[in-house]
Amino acid sequence: MNILRLEDLALRGQRVFIRADLNVPMTPHGEVADDTRLRAVLPGIRHCLAAGAAVMITSHLGRPVEGALTHADSLAPVAVRLSELLGQPVPLLGDWTHGKFRLDPGEIVLLENCRGNVGEMADDAALAGRIARWIDIYVNDAFAAAHRSQCTTHALALAAPVACAGPLLCAELDTLGRALAQPARPLVAVVGGSKVSTKLTVLERLADRVDTLIVGGGIANTFIAARGHGVGSSLYEPALLDAARRIAARMAERGSRLWLPEDVITATRCAANATPHIRAIDAVPPGEMILDVGPASDAAIEAIMLGAGTIVWNGPLGVFELAPFAAGTRALARAIAASPGHSIAGGGDTLAAIAAFGVTDAIDTISTGGGAFLEFLEGRELPAVAALKARAGGRQRQPTTMATA
């Protein structure tokens, strides 16, 4: 891939600005609940520190109002956890866009939530230019935010003296690109989630590429309804029944398979203390909602996974956060983990399921991206990657020795 890579640069004495994705879940007490994304960016940070760079790292967290950060929007808990993981202080700095702070080689600071800066979401070139004046090297190591055209993912990459990709971004692009360009067959995709509308494009794209497409969650409900079965009070999208039929027909024409469950788990309400029922796919009564796949479907999925050459997984099969409706996603996770095929998984709910069911080490490629992962599957060029390619194909300005801003 024609982009400049961090490991190809001389870093000693340089002010290195890393755009990472540290958008981690928090506990009700304001602590980091899952540090998977923090651990994922450690190699790039450590590489820069060991090379003698002064390291600045920033990220978004949640959806703050620009210019009006609240306590809940702060990266302070992330700074605490990063300090523990790196074994050195990681102070948090606010109001940082003018670069008025001192930072020595071998030191690191965390720059407060970048989405609090006015102009971040609008990909503001003036904001990017202001930041670019006091950094030497820009590093994008945030695959999960690579589908966003925002200041710290796009405009700053175009404005910085030097712009490159960090090891996490490179690894995700390289691994996903290889696996999907010439996948071992059969290629099986699992797409779950609540709505077809949010994943229609990727479903259409996969319908033209995969050998088996497994749909789950509310997405499956729409496909079940499209086959003429009642779905009770389940979440589904009547307006997209024709789209579901079109995808099914396209796959049938190719000789590929759209897999739907043969049995499901239903209940009258979605709650941890609800009473679950096993129903055939064509026997869901009014007043009950589909919340998981059933045991016969679990066995069928296991057989598919054991015979797969490549597996792409995005989204759960049911409401796995609640015990009565967790079995389907648990069985899927374990079947993928046991499969001899190459497995690729991505998306926030998918990562949570992988962690919950203890199969992290058995998944071959775990993408940190959600929306970026889906857009990559769709074949779209990610804006952040496009910016890095543009810089690699043009002139990179030689960084100067580090100066105090």
Side-chain angles (χ1 to χ4, degrees):
M1 183 175 297
N2 186 27
I3 55 177
L4 189 63
R5 297 176 182 242
L6 176 64
E7 57 265 30
D8 296 331
L9 297 176
L11 303 177
R12 181 167 298 279
Q14 301 301 301
R15 293 171 63 93
V16 176
F17 181 104
I18 301 176
R19 174 49 161 104
D21 179 25
L22 311 178
N23 186 32
V24 295
M26 296 290 181
T27 69
H29 303 293
E31 300 173 342
V32 173
D34 181 358
D35 64 5
T36 301
R37 284 181 167 173
L38 305 189
R39 293 179 181 274
V41 298
L42 292 180
I45 295 172
R46 287 174 172 150
H47 175 78
C48 293
L49 292 173
V55 180
M56 300 154 282
I57 182 168
T58 194
S59 171
H60 70 284
L61 180 68
R63 301 179 181 274
V65 176
E66 289 186 1
L69 282 181
T70 68
H71 178 74
D73 303 321
S74 178
L75 288 171
V78 174
V80 172
R81 186 65 185 127
L82 273 180
S83 298
E84 295 169 349
L85 292 171
L86 288 169
Q88 72 179 81
V90 182
L92 177 68
L93 298 182
D95 191 22
W96 52 266
T97 60
H98 290 280
K100 295 180 179 179
F101 55 89
R102 181 177 182 83
L103 192 65
D104 293 326
E107 293 181 341
I108 178 173
V109 294
L110 180 61
L111 307 177
E112 186 60 281
N113 195 329
C114 59
R115 284 191 181 168
N117 298 327
V118 176
E120 170 67 17
M121 302 292 284
D123 198 22
D124 184 53
L127 174 61
R130 188 161 72 244
I131 299 170
R133 285 195 291 270
W134 49 267
I135 68 174
D136 297 313
I137 297 172
Y138 166 86
V139 183
N140 191 318
D141 215 16
F143 176 77
H147 61 309
R148 304 293 188 191
S149 291
Q150 297 173 357
C151 179
T152 56
T153 60
H154 183 260
L156 185 55
L158 298 175
V162 174
C164 68
L168 174 61
L169 179 61
C170 289
E172 296 241 24
L173 295 174
D174 292 344
T175 302
L176 293 175
R178 284 195 303 269
L180 297 175
Q182 294 182 317
R185 298 283 179 173
L187 172 57
V188 178
V190 182
V191 180
S194 60
K195 295 182 178 181
V196 173
S197 54
T198 61
K199 297 184 178 180
L200 179 59
T201 306
V202 73
L203 288 168
E204 291 176 331
R205 173 78 170 174
L206 291 173
D208 290 331
R209 302 181 65 185
V210 304
D211 301 298
T212 299
L213 175 59
I214 296 172
V215 291
I219 291 175
N221 297 342
T222 300
F223 280 86
I224 292 170
R227 285 192 179 179
H229 301 310
V231 294
S233 57
S234 306
L235 171 69
Y236 83 109
E237 294 176 280
L240 289 177
L241 294 178
D242 285 344
R245 295 185 188 106
R246 184 174 66 248
I247 290 170
R250 185 182 305 176
M251 296 195 71
E253 290 171 2
R254 291 182 52 239
S256 54
R257 178 186 182 190
L258 172 67
W259 183 94
L260 290 176
E262 57 188 275
D263 61 347
V264 292
I265 304 297
T266 68
T268 56
R269 56 199 180 91
C270 183
N273 60 353
T275 301
H277 305 281
I278 301 174
R279 307 290 190 193
I281 193 175
D282 58 354
V284 177
E288 292 185 7
M289 61 184 75
I290 300 171
L291 297 170
D292 195 11
V293 300
S297 299
D298 294 341
I301 288 174
E302 182 179 4
I304 293 171
M305 296 307 161
L306 286 176
T310 305
I311 302 163
V312 179
W313 177 21
N314 177 262
L317 298 183
V319 188
F320 74 94
E321 299 90 346
L322 302 179
F325 317 113
T329 304
R330 182 191 303 113
L332 170 66
R334 292 177 178 174
I336 293 175
S339 173
H342 183 88
S343 52
I344 306 167
D349 288 342
T350 311
L351 297 184
I354 288 170
F357 301 128
V359 298
T360 301
D361 293 339
I363 305 298
D364 296 303
T365 302
I366 297 178
S367 173
T368 58
F373 180 71
L374 286 175
E375 292 196 15
F376 192 95
L377 295 182
E378 291 171 21
R380 298 190 199 181
E381 182 163 59
L382 306 177
V385 178
L388 294 177
K389 286 182 178 179
R391 292 303 305 278
R395 182 173 61 90
Q396 300 263 7
R397 299 194 297 280
Q398 182 64 35
T400 60
T401 56
M402 188 179 68
T404 302

